[in-house]
Amino acid sequence: MFSKVFIESEIKNHPQTKKILERFSQAPVSEIERIDDVFGRVKKPYLQKRDSLQLFLGKKRGNLVKVAPDAYGLAGEPHYYFIHAYNCIYECEYCYLQGYFHSPDIVLFLNHDEIIHEMKVIAASHPDTKVWFHAGEFSDSLALTHLTGELELYHQFIAETPNAVIELRTKSVNTAELEKLSPHPRLITSFSLSPKERAKKTDLKTPPLETRLKAMNKLEKLGHPMGIHLDPIIHEDSFEETYLQLFQQITQYISPNSIDYLSMGVVRFTSNVFHQVKRNYPQSELLAAEFATSFDGKVRYPRPFRLWLLGKIKDMALSHGFSEKQIYQCME
Amino acid sequence: MHTTPLLIFAHRGEARAFFGHYQLTSLPEASDLYHYQGKSEGDSFYLLLTGEGHFNALSATSAALSFLKASNSELKIEAINLGICGALDEHFQVGQALFIRTLYSEGLHQGMEFKSFNTKTIDNKDSSFPFVDLVSSHHRVLEQDKKQKLSAFAPLVDREAWAIGFTCHKQGVPLTVIKLVSDHAEGEICIPVKEEAELWSDKLLRQYLSLKETPSKAQVIVKTIDSLKEKFPDLHITVAQERSLISLFNALSLKNISNEMALKSFEESGVLELDLRPKDKTKKLIEALSHQLSPLSQKLKSALTEVSEPLSLNGFNVRFDQDYEKAIIHLSTTLQNKSDINKLITGLENFSYENFLSLLNGDIDHV
């Protein structure tokens, strides 16, 4: 999986480092002072993740928890995201990570104790309200948890911090570590879903839709709270049929009542990411669409199309048993 | 317009087979720059010998590109760097030919240059060529330590490619890099290079010839437009229309609609038989292709035309916000007599602002 592993000297004796290295015993290992000595030092094209993906293990320094952008989650409560990894093993054609780090290599930070400490400080600064902490802003929250082993620590944090909520955003089906934990109403796993054929075309290397739904079904049976992100919504000529089919499949595997929220977001890019998409996926069907620069400078479908798409999906959600209260629009 | 290759080598030995295969003439105005005049425009190329290292490569490539552009402003150059390289990874075999994907460079004093350059090869997704990265070093890599350090960034090393990439990037010239592994960067490389020069140069020539045979998608689209002009002499295609057609054919191909399929429905529509100006027939072609590309967009446009009809039929020129991001409508008109005022009032009275707003808010199906 990894062509090379780089480890910071400071964490070379960390128990998790040893476990991860055992797992990738075939990959050559280099010890480095700081991740930044190599990661991001040169501009490494995104698609090199296909055949020369490297792994970096180290400590996150600087801001460990950051304020989330507006309209990131349910309105009315403060939202933050915490950073325990950079980059993702999947390859979604629209992914904003392709314009973000100047490198597609995977970085795993192992100082979860420090990240959790900062989350505790933030939660304490909002004593009268629920505080959301999102994982998965710069990586998939579950995809590598069998290697990184941090879920238990965050589960414990939730149990000890009554006003904190954690959202684990994922496209993976790697729920094994989560299944070992007792369900907690404030540890929510949210799955990003797209119609089957769409995911096959654009969400490269991600598990198929049905496998994701089966994973959700398993978590539902175990009583773990869940969310659904229909994001990004991508238009195609057969959009209505494919999303109708998606809702039928969702309700075949899970009950809308067991879903905490359903968010919808139409595909969008910063101009830099859009440039990267054109460069990395010049043959992508995504690029056949008409895009315009929108109210916030992001590249999106023209407003009538976006609102048409969101309206259609909301109608479908309502007619498949979701309630108005569960649905919100993301980044719109 | 056709592009002319500029083949760039560091050493004459690497280019030996090219000098043997083609009758190259030296250009007296530019040092180490040669020209091959092919039987057709597509066969001609220039060849440059830069000398070894970043600075030689940078200055020679820059001078050659500037000279060629100055001598013929119409000339469209495509650079191809061919040469040998060292492998920092044991997996690569001596004599292996590789197409380079990304060019990195060692920093002048320490560390690495942040900037990297992608070659044109990276955009050629249909290509079956192997993609490999390369780092250019300021000095020959003879020590294990340095080999280790550079191998964190790329598995191949040379002395010139990054500088050539830098110059081509600055001058907007697409670059392809083809390298042959000459050694494993473990010692003095000059002796084997000299011994094997003829063989390696021959391999580079073969790679160059195979590269020439692969047409790009852009070339296929330009060919379609050329054949369109031949097939339908009735159409007059302006430069702006040609640009639209290229972008439409490109977008349609992303939706798996081939150029032939896209044109078939236009041919069957009977537009060619209509009594229209040649330029307007092309306009109809563009509309037909746009409709195939985005039926939803066409639906919105038709609905907006319908909603604004009371205005346009009563003397207003109607314009919507570009990309429809804002729910605004621009109206302009010319008053020539009093009855125009009454017409405009009728137009405004019959115009449904609510329907317009509903459309912009996504209610495309019901208005």
Side-chain angles (χ1 to χ4, degrees), chain B residues 25-72:
Chain B
T25 50
S26 167
L27 295 177
E29 309 91 326
S31 69
D32 292 321
L33 185 61
Y34 301 83
H35 183 232
Y36 169 69
Q37 182 65 56
K39 284 185 187 130
S40 68
E41 194 191 2
D43 288 337
S44 302
F45 65 83
Y46 292 92
L47 187 149
L48 172 71
L49 301 176
T50 64
E52 188 171 319
H54 276 65
F55 293 111
N56 281 328
L58 192 76
S59 56
T61 310
S62 180
L65 288 175
S66 305
F67 169 77
L68 292 173
K69 282 183 178 178
S71 59
N72 179 1

Short mmCIF file of all heavy atoms in Angstrom, two decimals, chain B residues 25-72:
data_model
loop_
_atom_site.label_atom_id
_atom_site.label_comp_id
_atom_site.label_asym_id
_atom_site.label_seq_id
_atom_site.Cartn_x
_atom_site.Cartn_y
_atom_site.Cartn_z
N THR B 25 20.62 20.06 -40.07
CA THR B 25 21.52 21.16 -40.45
C THR B 25 21.66 22.11 -39.26
O THR B 25 20.70 22.40 -38.56
CB THR B 25 20.97 21.95 -41.65
OG1 THR B 25 19.62 22.29 -41.36
CG2 THR B 25 21.04 21.16 -42.93
N SER B 26 22.87 22.57 -39.07
CA SER B 26 23.15 23.47 -37.95
C SER B 26 22.60 24.86 -38.27
O SER B 26 22.69 25.32 -39.41
CB SER B 26 24.65 23.50 -37.75
OG SER B 26 24.98 24.56 -36.91
N LEU B 27 22.02 25.51 -37.28
CA LEU B 27 21.55 26.89 -37.50
C LEU B 27 22.66 27.84 -37.09
O LEU B 27 23.02 27.89 -35.91
CB LEU B 27 20.29 27.16 -36.67
CG LEU B 27 19.06 26.33 -37.04
CD1 LEU B 27 17.90 26.64 -36.12
CD2 LEU B 27 18.64 26.60 -38.47
N PRO B 28 23.25 28.55 -38.03
CA PRO B 28 24.42 29.36 -37.70
C PRO B 28 24.13 30.47 -36.69
O PRO B 28 25.01 30.88 -35.94
CB PRO B 28 24.85 29.94 -39.06
CG PRO B 28 23.69 29.74 -39.97
CD PRO B 28 22.85 28.64 -39.43
N GLU B 29 22.84 30.91 -36.65
CA GLU B 29 22.51 32.03 -35.74
C GLU B 29 22.41 31.59 -34.29
O GLU B 29 22.41 32.43 -33.38
CB GLU B 29 21.17 32.67 -36.14
CG GLU B 29 21.01 33.06 -37.59
CD GLU B 29 20.40 31.94 -38.42
OE1 GLU B 29 20.67 30.75 -38.13
OE2 GLU B 29 19.67 32.24 -39.37
N ALA B 30 22.26 30.30 -34.05
CA ALA B 30 22.07 29.84 -32.66
C ALA B 30 23.01 28.67 -32.40
O ALA B 30 23.09 27.75 -33.21
CB ALA B 30 20.62 29.40 -32.47
N SER B 31 23.69 28.73 -31.26
CA SER B 31 24.68 27.67 -31.03
C SER B 31 24.02 26.37 -30.59
O SER B 31 23.04 26.38 -29.82
CB SER B 31 25.72 28.12 -30.00
OG SER B 31 25.12 28.21 -28.76
N ASP B 32 24.52 25.29 -31.11
CA ASP B 32 24.07 23.93 -30.78
C ASP B 32 22.59 23.69 -31.07
O ASP B 32 21.96 22.86 -30.43
CB ASP B 32 24.38 23.61 -29.30
CG ASP B 32 25.86 23.50 -29.07
OD1 ASP B 32 26.55 22.95 -29.95
OD2 ASP B 32 26.33 23.99 -28.03
N LEU B 33 22.04 24.45 -32.01
CA LEU B 33 20.65 24.24 -32.41
C LEU B 33 20.64 23.76 -33.87
O LEU B 33 21.32 24.35 -34.72
CB LEU B 33 19.86 25.54 -32.27
CG LEU B 33 18.35 25.47 -32.53
CD1 LEU B 33 17.66 24.52 -31.55
CD2 LEU B 33 17.72 26.86 -32.39
N TYR B 34 19.91 22.68 -34.11
CA TYR B 34 19.88 22.07 -35.44
C TYR B 34 18.44 21.98 -35.92
O TYR B 34 17.51 21.98 -35.13
CB TYR B 34 20.48 20.65 -35.38
CG TYR B 34 21.91 20.66 -34.89
CD1 TYR B 34 22.19 20.68 -33.53
CD2 TYR B 34 22.97 20.65 -35.80
CE1 TYR B 34 23.50 20.71 -33.07
CE2 TYR B 34 24.29 20.68 -35.34
CZ TYR B 34 24.54 20.70 -33.98
OH TYR B 34 25.83 20.74 -33.53
N HIS B 35 18.31 21.86 -37.25
CA HIS B 35 16.97 21.79 -37.83
C HIS B 35 16.87 20.60 -38.78
O HIS B 35 17.81 20.33 -39.53
CB HIS B 35 16.65 23.09 -38.57
CG HIS B 35 15.26 23.12 -39.12
ND1 HIS B 35 14.98 23.41 -40.44
CD2 HIS B 35 14.06 22.85 -38.53
CE1 HIS B 35 13.66 23.35 -40.63
NE2 HIS B 35 13.09 23.01 -39.49
N TYR B 36 15.74 19.91 -38.72
CA TYR B 36 15.47 18.88 -39.72
C TYR B 36 14.23 19.31 -40.48
O TYR B 36 13.16 19.51 -39.90
CB TYR B 36 15.24 17.52 -39.05
CG TYR B 36 14.71 16.49 -40.03
CD1 TYR B 36 15.52 15.99 -41.07
CD2 TYR B 36 13.39 16.05 -39.95
CE1 TYR B 36 15.02 15.09 -41.98
CE2 TYR B 36 12.89 15.13 -40.87
CZ TYR B 36 13.71 14.65 -41.88
OH TYR B 36 13.20 13.76 -42.80
N GLN B 37 14.41 19.48 -41.80
CA GLN B 37 13.28 19.87 -42.64
C GLN B 37 12.66 18.60 -43.21
O GLN B 37 13.22 17.97 -44.11
CB GLN B 37 13.79 20.79 -43.76
CG GLN B 37 12.69 21.31 -44.69
CD GLN B 37 11.71 22.23 -43.95
OE1 GLN B 37 12.11 23.23 -43.35
NE2 GLN B 37 10.43 21.86 -43.98
N GLY B 38 11.52 18.18 -42.67
CA GLY B 38 10.88 16.95 -43.12
C GLY B 38 10.16 17.15 -44.44
O GLY B 38 10.05 18.28 -44.94
N LYS B 39 9.67 16.03 -44.98
CA LYS B 39 8.95 16.11 -46.27
C LYS B 39 7.64 16.87 -46.08
O LYS B 39 7.18 17.57 -46.95
CB LYS B 39 8.67 14.70 -46.77
CG LYS B 39 9.94 14.06 -47.34
CD LYS B 39 9.63 12.71 -47.96
CE LYS B 39 10.96 12.05 -48.34
NZ LYS B 39 11.08 10.69 -47.87
N SER B 40 7.03 16.69 -44.92
CA SER B 40 5.81 17.45 -44.62
C SER B 40 6.07 18.27 -43.36
O SER B 40 7.04 18.01 -42.63
CB SER B 40 4.63 16.51 -44.39
OG SER B 40 4.84 15.80 -43.19
N GLU B 41 5.15 19.22 -43.10
CA GLU B 41 5.31 20.09 -41.93
C GLU B 41 5.39 19.27 -40.64
O GLU B 41 6.15 19.56 -39.73
CB GLU B 41 4.11 21.04 -41.87
CG GLU B 41 4.29 22.20 -40.93
CD GLU B 41 2.99 22.98 -40.70
OE1 GLU B 41 1.95 22.58 -41.25
OE2 GLU B 41 3.05 23.97 -39.96
N GLY B 42 4.61 18.18 -40.62
CA GLY B 42 4.52 17.34 -39.42
C GLY B 42 5.79 16.57 -39.11
O GLY B 42 5.95 16.07 -38.01
N ASP B 43 6.68 16.45 -40.07
CA ASP B 43 7.91 15.66 -39.85
C ASP B 43 9.07 16.51 -39.37
O ASP B 43 10.07 15.99 -38.87
CB ASP B 43 8.33 14.98 -41.16
CG ASP B 43 7.39 13.84 -41.50
OD1 ASP B 43 6.75 13.32 -40.57
OD2 ASP B 43 7.29 13.50 -42.69
N SER B 44 9.00 17.82 -39.55
CA SER B 44 10.15 18.69 -39.23
C SER B 44 10.32 18.84 -37.73
O SER B 44 9.35 18.73 -36.98
CB SER B 44 9.93 20.08 -39.84
OG SER B 44 9.76 19.96 -41.23
N PHE B 45 11.54 19.06 -37.31
CA PHE B 45 11.78 19.35 -35.90
C PHE B 45 13.10 20.08 -35.71
O PHE B 45 13.90 20.19 -36.65
CB PHE B 45 11.76 18.06 -35.06
CG PHE B 45 12.86 17.07 -35.36
CD1 PHE B 45 14.13 17.20 -34.81
CD2 PHE B 45 12.61 16.00 -36.21
CE1 PHE B 45 15.13 16.28 -35.09
CE2 PHE B 45 13.61 15.08 -36.50
CZ PHE B 45 14.88 15.22 -35.94
N TYR B 46 13.29 20.60 -34.52
CA TYR B 46 14.57 21.22 -34.15
C TYR B 46 15.24 20.34 -33.10
O TYR B 46 14.56 19.59 -32.39
CB TYR B 46 14.33 22.61 -33.56
CG TYR B 46 13.83 23.61 -34.58
CD1 TYR B 46 12.46 23.79 -34.77
CD2 TYR B 46 14.72 24.35 -35.35
CE1 TYR B 46 11.99 24.68 -35.72
CE2 TYR B 46 14.26 25.24 -36.30
CZ TYR B 46 12.89 25.41 -36.48
OH TYR B 46 12.44 26.28 -37.42
N LEU B 47 16.54 20.43 -33.01
CA LEU B 47 17.27 19.63 -32.02
C LEU B 47 18.28 20.54 -31.32
O LEU B 47 19.01 21.30 -31.97
CB LEU B 47 17.96 18.47 -32.72
CG LEU B 47 18.64 17.42 -31.83
CD1 LEU B 47 18.61 16.04 -32.50
CD2 LEU B 47 20.07 17.78 -31.48
N LEU B 48 18.31 20.45 -30.00
CA LEU B 48 19.19 21.32 -29.22
C LEU B 48 20.10 20.48 -28.32
O LEU B 48 19.64 19.52 -27.68
CB LEU B 48 18.33 22.25 -28.34
CG LEU B 48 19.07 23.11 -27.31
CD1 LEU B 48 19.87 24.23 -28.00
CD2 LEU B 48 18.09 23.72 -26.31
N LEU B 49 21.37 20.85 -28.27
CA LEU B 49 22.30 20.23 -27.32
C LEU B 49 22.61 21.27 -26.25
O LEU B 49 23.10 22.36 -26.58
CB LEU B 49 23.59 19.80 -28.04
CG LEU B 49 23.42 18.82 -29.20
CD1 LEU B 49 24.76 18.56 -29.90
CD2 LEU B 49 22.82 17.50 -28.73
N THR B 50 22.30 20.97 -25.01
CA THR B 50 22.41 22.01 -23.98
C THR B 50 23.74 22.00 -23.22
O THR B 50 24.16 23.00 -22.67
CB THR B 50 21.31 21.85 -22.91
OG1 THR B 50 21.50 20.61 -22.24
CG2 THR B 50 19.93 21.91 -23.51
N GLY B 51 24.37 20.85 -23.13
CA GLY B 51 25.49 20.71 -22.19
C GLY B 51 24.94 20.25 -20.85
O GLY B 51 23.72 20.25 -20.63
N GLU B 52 25.85 19.87 -19.95
CA GLU B 52 25.41 19.22 -18.70
C GLU B 52 25.06 20.22 -17.60
O GLU B 52 25.67 21.28 -17.48
CB GLU B 52 26.56 18.31 -18.22
CG GLU B 52 26.16 17.44 -17.05
CD GLU B 52 27.23 16.39 -16.74
OE1 GLU B 52 27.79 15.81 -17.69
OE2 GLU B 52 27.49 16.17 -15.54
N GLY B 53 24.08 19.87 -16.79
CA GLY B 53 23.76 20.64 -15.58
C GLY B 53 22.64 21.65 -15.75
O GLY B 53 22.26 22.02 -16.87
N HIS B 54 22.13 22.09 -14.58
CA HIS B 54 21.00 23.02 -14.53
C HIS B 54 21.24 24.28 -15.37
O HIS B 54 20.40 24.68 -16.15
CB HIS B 54 20.78 23.49 -13.09
CG HIS B 54 19.94 22.57 -12.26
ND1 HIS B 54 20.33 21.31 -11.94
CD2 HIS B 54 18.73 22.76 -11.68
CE1 HIS B 54 19.39 20.75 -11.18
NE2 HIS B 54 18.41 21.61 -11.01
N PHE B 55 22.39 24.90 -15.14
CA PHE B 55 22.59 26.23 -15.73
C PHE B 55 22.74 26.15 -17.25
O PHE B 55 22.20 26.99 -17.98
CB PHE B 55 23.76 26.95 -15.08
CG PHE B 55 23.46 27.27 -13.64
CD1 PHE B 55 24.12 26.62 -12.61
CD2 PHE B 55 22.47 28.18 -13.33
CE1 PHE B 55 23.79 26.89 -11.29
CE2 PHE B 55 22.13 28.45 -12.01
CZ PHE B 55 22.80 27.80 -10.98
N ASN B 56 23.48 25.14 -17.72
CA ASN B 56 23.60 24.97 -19.17
C ASN B 56 22.23 24.70 -19.78
O ASN B 56 21.88 25.26 -20.81
CB ASN B 56 24.54 23.80 -19.48
CG ASN B 56 25.99 24.20 -19.33
OD1 ASN B 56 26.35 25.36 -19.58
ND2 ASN B 56 26.82 23.29 -18.90
N ALA B 57 21.46 23.81 -19.12
CA ALA B 57 20.15 23.44 -19.66
C ALA B 57 19.21 24.64 -19.67
O ALA B 57 18.51 24.89 -20.65
CB ALA B 57 19.54 22.31 -18.83
N LEU B 58 19.24 25.40 -18.57
CA LEU B 58 18.36 26.56 -18.44
C LEU B 58 18.68 27.61 -19.50
O LEU B 58 17.79 28.10 -20.22
CB LEU B 58 18.55 27.16 -17.04
CG LEU B 58 17.54 28.18 -16.58
CD1 LEU B 58 16.25 27.50 -16.18
CD2 LEU B 58 18.09 28.95 -15.38
N SER B 59 19.97 27.94 -19.63
CA SER B 59 20.33 29.02 -20.56
C SER B 59 20.16 28.58 -22.01
O SER B 59 19.62 29.32 -22.83
CB SER B 59 21.75 29.52 -20.29
OG SER B 59 22.64 28.44 -20.35
N ALA B 60 20.56 27.34 -22.32
CA ALA B 60 20.47 26.91 -23.73
C ALA B 60 19.01 26.76 -24.16
O ALA B 60 18.65 27.18 -25.26
CB ALA B 60 21.21 25.58 -23.89
N THR B 61 18.17 26.19 -23.29
CA THR B 61 16.75 26.00 -23.66
C THR B 61 16.07 27.35 -23.81
O THR B 61 15.32 27.59 -24.76
CB THR B 61 16.01 25.16 -22.59
OG1 THR B 61 16.78 24.00 -22.33
CG2 THR B 61 14.63 24.77 -23.04
N SER B 62 16.37 28.23 -22.86
CA SER B 62 15.76 29.55 -22.89
C SER B 62 16.17 30.30 -24.17
O SER B 62 15.33 30.88 -24.86
CB SER B 62 16.23 30.30 -21.64
OG SER B 62 15.68 31.55 -21.62
N ALA B 63 17.47 30.24 -24.50
CA ALA B 63 17.96 30.93 -25.70
C ALA B 63 17.33 30.33 -26.96
O ALA B 63 16.89 31.06 -27.85
CB ALA B 63 19.48 30.84 -25.77
N ALA B 64 17.25 29.00 -27.00
CA ALA B 64 16.71 28.34 -28.21
C ALA B 64 15.23 28.68 -28.40
O ALA B 64 14.80 29.01 -29.50
CB ALA B 64 16.90 26.83 -28.10
N LEU B 65 14.47 28.62 -27.31
CA LEU B 65 13.03 28.92 -27.43
C LEU B 65 12.82 30.37 -27.86
O LEU B 65 11.98 30.67 -28.70
CB LEU B 65 12.30 28.63 -26.11
CG LEU B 65 12.12 27.15 -25.74
CD1 LEU B 65 11.50 27.01 -24.35
CD2 LEU B 65 11.23 26.44 -26.77
N SER B 66 13.60 31.27 -27.27
CA SER B 66 13.47 32.69 -27.63
C SER B 66 13.84 32.90 -29.09
O SER B 66 13.16 33.62 -29.82
CB SER B 66 14.36 33.56 -26.74
OG SER B 66 14.06 33.31 -25.41
N PHE B 67 14.92 32.25 -29.51
CA PHE B 67 15.37 32.40 -30.90
C PHE B 67 14.29 31.89 -31.86
O PHE B 67 13.94 32.56 -32.83
CB PHE B 67 16.68 31.61 -31.11
CG PHE B 67 17.06 31.49 -32.55
CD1 PHE B 67 17.62 32.56 -33.22
CD2 PHE B 67 16.83 30.30 -33.24
CE1 PHE B 67 17.95 32.44 -34.58
CE2 PHE B 67 17.14 30.18 -34.58
CZ PHE B 67 17.71 31.25 -35.25
N LEU B 68 13.73 30.72 -31.55
CA LEU B 68 12.73 30.12 -32.46
C LEU B 68 11.47 30.97 -32.52
O LEU B 68 10.89 31.17 -33.58
CB LEU B 68 12.39 28.69 -32.02
CG LEU B 68 13.54 27.69 -32.19
CD1 LEU B 68 13.18 26.33 -31.57
CD2 LEU B 68 13.88 27.49 -33.67
N LYS B 69 11.08 31.51 -31.37
CA LYS B 69 9.87 32.34 -31.34
C LYS B 69 10.11 33.65 -32.10
O LYS B 69 9.22 34.14 -32.79
CB LYS B 69 9.45 32.64 -29.90
CG LYS B 69 8.74 31.44 -29.27
CD LYS B 69 8.25 31.75 -27.89
CE LYS B 69 7.51 30.56 -27.29
NZ LYS B 69 7.05 30.80 -25.94
N ALA B 70 11.33 34.19 -31.94
CA ALA B 70 11.63 35.46 -32.62
C ALA B 70 11.75 35.26 -34.13
O ALA B 70 11.36 36.12 -34.91
CB ALA B 70 12.93 36.04 -32.06
N SER B 71 12.26 34.09 -34.53
CA SER B 71 12.45 33.88 -35.97
C SER B 71 11.13 33.56 -36.68
O SER B 71 11.01 33.78 -37.88
CB SER B 71 13.48 32.78 -36.22
OG SER B 71 13.04 31.58 -35.62
N ASN B 72 10.16 33.06 -35.97
CA ASN B 72 8.85 32.78 -36.57
C ASN B 72 7.79 32.83 -35.49
O ASN B 72 7.61 31.89 -34.73
CB ASN B 72 8.89 31.39 -37.24
CG ASN B 72 7.54 31.03 -37.87
OD1 ASN B 72 6.59 31.80 -37.83
ND2 ASN B 72 7.49 29.85 -38.46
#
